[in-house]
Amino acid sequence: MSIYNEIKKKINDAINPKNIILIDNSNLHKKHKSFDRNKFHFRIIIESKKLKQISKIEAHKKIFSILKEEMKSK
């Protein structure tokens, strides 16, 4: 399963959002000193009633906890 599908599945399973958009911004980081081709830089846009009911900080924490393994390794 691709990293895109893994991320979408985990978010869908956890919060069942109306829409998820994943944007790969890895190419914007190529010139950074710590750039690693095996790691990704995604922008994730999530449309969800559950996330709108909580603060932005809590929403970020929730997504980070859902994707904690991906954040460490990919």
Side-chain angles (χ1 to χ4, degrees):
M1 183 180 296
S2 75
I3 185 70
Y4 292 99
N5 291 334
E6 285 179 45
I7 290 171
K8 284 186 174 187
K9 181 176 179 357
K10 280 191 165 191
I11 294 171
N12 273 320
D13 291 349
I15 60 173
N16 194 24
K18 185 175 180 182
N19 192 21
I20 302 174
I21 299 170
L22 267 130
I23 302 166
D24 186 356
N25 286 330
S26 299
N27 64 331
L28 300 176
H29 298 272
K30 284 184 181 179
K31 293 184 180 182
H32 291 180
K33 197 175 198 177
S34 62
F35 179 75
D36 181 351
R37 290 178 185 219
N38 297 319
K39 295 195 176 189
F40 299 90
H41 296 267
F42 289 114
R43 178 172 185 216
I44 304 173
I45 302 168
I46 303 169
E47 187 179 346
S48 166
K49 286 183 182 181
K50 283 184 183 180
L51 294 180
K52 283 191 176 192
Q53 293 173 350
I54 59 178
S55 72
K56 284 188 178 187
I57 292 172
E58 290 302 316
H60 276 85
K61 285 180 181 179
K62 185 162 189 74
I63 298 303
F64 274 57
S65 71
I66 293 167
L67 301 175
K68 67 182 169 187
E69 290 303 315
E70 287 75 14
M71 297 287 286
K72 288 180 186 175
S73 63
K74 299 175 184 170

